[in-house]
Amino acid sequence: MNRWVVLLFGSILIWGCGPGGKSRDSKFQQYIVQGEELYVTHCSNCHQKSGKGLGLLYPPLDESDFMDQNIDSVICLIKNGKSGEIIVNGKAYNQPMPGVPLLSDLEVAEIATYIYNNWTHDKGMIEVTRVSSILEKCESR
Amino acid sequence: MKYGALIFISLLILSACKKKEQPLPIFGQREVVGNDTVYHHIANFKFVDQDSSLITNDTFKDQIYVADFFFTSCRTICPIMKTQMLRVYEATSDIPDVKLLSHSIDPEYDTVALLHSFAERLGVSSDRWHFVTGVKDSIYKIAQTSYFATAMEDKSEPDGFIHSGAFLLVDKQQRIRGKYDGTKEDDVNRLIADIARLKKEYE
């Protein structure tokens, strides 16, 4: 009897930890944890830990219509970088972003999963298989 | 009664904390000439800012300023430095005699037009924050000899330059009164507090 109570209580605790009450499997959690670490190393200098960007130099990620509408291009630009003007939330940004070509497909997937499930985003896990097929089709800049 | 004595002693100890604030240190070598002490000060310079205005020592006459070294295409520490310098800019917005001076260490790439657009995109005004470009060697030289900051080309670095992330606090006699790590929020908080302290020296 006692064991069941403990088990039930434990499950509730674990269940309760997932944001929005949704359960997240451990692979998803691992993507998020690794993704955050990679984000801090490669992205947060410019886009800030808070995802708010900086002035009109570096666009925000915390709320971004560009991110919402262009998942494939975002995955490409994490690895390959991007130059030229982009419009984010109605504002023009034009600072070239260097890519991080050394990132593996898995690392790109982890960063993408982190940024797409943080701040205001809730897009769910972005699997490495999906990332690999997108990366094959990136247009060269 | 015993407690009364204890409280009295505690108050006495606490009152010692309220002693007069020490003035900020003056950095660099000093020489005594006759009865005067001559302190290290910023050498003469002549650069051009984002509005093509000539920026010299005279620009900062009767001004306190904060200097740093960066370049616009830098992706390592500069964005963090600019985030932090923007905090200094905002924290000093009500103090008319405090200015900011950011030197480009990649002046061939960072033209006036590029710096103009950079400052505009950062959303800052050129009468308080000058982004300057000029002769590369003069910028490196003043960084190293006047501001004790590192700035040089190094092709082995990811962005092609090595430079320190230091912010230097310069007083109205163009003497360095503080050096801070412009990539650390805590250190920049200390800078903001020190600006207020330095300001009091002139009141």
Side-chain angles (χ1 to χ4, degrees):
Chain A
M1 176 59 198
N2 246 345
R3 200 192 297 168
W4 288 112
V5 173
V6 171
L7 208 67
L8 181 72
F9 196 65
S11 321
I12 292 170
L13 273 182
I14 292 166
W15 191 260
C17 291
K22 266 190 307 177
S23 87
R24 295 187 168 196
D25 59 30
S26 59
K27 193 175 163 196
F28 190 6
Q29 281 301 347
Q30 210 178 337
Y31 265 52
I32 301 248
V33 171
Q34 299 285 349
E36 178 171 10
E37 205 170 293
L38 290 161
Y39 178 83
V40 168
T41 311
H42 298 293
C43 321
S44 72
N45 276 5
C46 297
H47 294 290
Q48 316 288 326
K49 188 71 187 57
S50 64
K52 296 210 174 300
L54 182 62
L56 289 175
L57 286 169
Y58 313 118
L61 307 183
D62 58 345
E63 274 189 82
S64 163
D65 56 358
F66 183 89
M67 271 174 67
D68 292 338
Q69 292 153 20
N70 303 281
I71 297 191
D72 289 11
S73 337
V74 168
I75 285 168
C76 290
L77 69 85
I78 290 173
K79 182 158 175 144
N80 303 329
K82 185 169 178 61
S83 52
E85 190 178 84
I86 66 165
I87 310 283
V88 180
N89 306 334
K91 292 174 184 158
Y93 295 82
N94 198 354
Q95 189 76 5
M97 167 171 155
V100 192
L102 289 175
L103 290 176
S104 66
D105 292 5
L106 176 63
E107 288 171 322
V108 174
E110 287 166 342
I111 294 174
T113 300
Y114 172 71
I115 62 173
Y116 274 111
N117 289 280
N118 197 6
W119 309 304
T120 60
H121 308 285
D122 193 11
K123 288 261 190 289
M125 180 152 170
I126 298 172
E127 294 270 1
V128 61
T129 44
R130 181 176 165 196
V131 166
S132 297
S133 72
I134 293 169
L135 285 176
E136 272 171 31
K137 286 178 290 197
C138 293
E139 13 176 325
S140 51
R141 1 175 222 153
Chain B
M1 192 53 226
K2 206 162 65 179
Y3 290 114
L6 208 64
I7 290 168
F8 179 73
I9 291 167
S10 311
L11 284 177
L12 209 67
I13 293 169
L14 277 176
S15 68
C17 302
K18 273 197 73 182
K19 69 168 188 252
K20 209 168 160 279
E21 254 183 349
Q22 291 289 318
L24 292 169
I26 298 169
F27 283 54
Q29 293 217 346
R30 56 196 61 181
E31 257 177 84
V32 179
V33 180
N35 290 327
D36 280 335
T37 309
V38 180
Y39 293 96
H40 171 88
H41 59 273
I42 306 301
N44 289 340
F45 61 85
K46 197 191 273 183
F47 301 122
V48 179
D49 79 356
Q50 71 266 39
D51 286 350
S52 301
S53 307
L54 197 63
I55 302 298
T56 66
N57 308 66
D58 279 344
T59 312
F60 301 99
K61 192 166 188 274
D62 287 323
Q63 306 280 321
I64 290 167
Y65 71 97
V66 181
D68 75 346
F69 295 85
F70 86 115
F71 54 110
T72 63
S73 59
C74 151
R75 56 188 144 162
T76 51
I77 59 173
C78 318
I80 309 177
M81 291 166 70
K82 289 293 151 280
T83 308
Q84 293 301 326
M85 195 61 108
L86 193 61
R87 289 182 55 226
V88 179
Y89 177 84
E90 279 157 7
T92 55
S93 62
D94 295 336
I95 316 176
D97 48 358
V98 174
K99 300 282 185 296
L100 309 177
L101 172 61
S102 289
H103 305 76
S104 169
I105 57 164
D106 187 9
E108 283 152 18
Y109 180 81
D110 287 336
T111 56
V112 167
L114 214 144
L115 291 175
H116 184 86
S117 138
F118 188 88
E120 205 172 69
R121 288 176 168 275
L122 203 56
V124 302
S125 140
S126 57
D127 23 294
R128 288 219 297 125
W129 190 346
H130 303 281
F131 291 83
V132 296
T133 179
V135 179
K136 190 157 70 182
D137 289 341
S138 342
I139 293 176
Y140 292 178
K141 191 173 167 211
I142 201 154
Q144 275 152 33
T145 57
S146 282
Y147 293 101
F148 310 121
T150 315
M152 62 184 86
E153 266 176 299
D154 184 344
K155 295 286 175 238
S156 66
E157 285 290 304
D159 287 322
F161 297 91
I162 23 176
H163 67 123
S164 75
F167 288 175
L168 293 311
L169 176 61
V170 184
D171 71 10
K172 294 185 179 182
Q173 287 85 45
Q174 310 226 326
R175 302 174 304 187
I176 298 180
R177 305 298 296 274
K179 185 173 182 178
Y180 313 84
D181 184 339
T183 64
K184 299 222 164 65
E185 197 177 327
D186 287 356
D187 238 35
V188 174
N189 291 341
R190 191 163 63 84
L191 163 62
I192 292 168
D194 282 356
I195 291 173
R197 268 171 79 183
L198 182 55
K199 179 100 178 80
K200 276 194 200 134
E201 285 185 18
Y202 298 100
E203 278 164 5

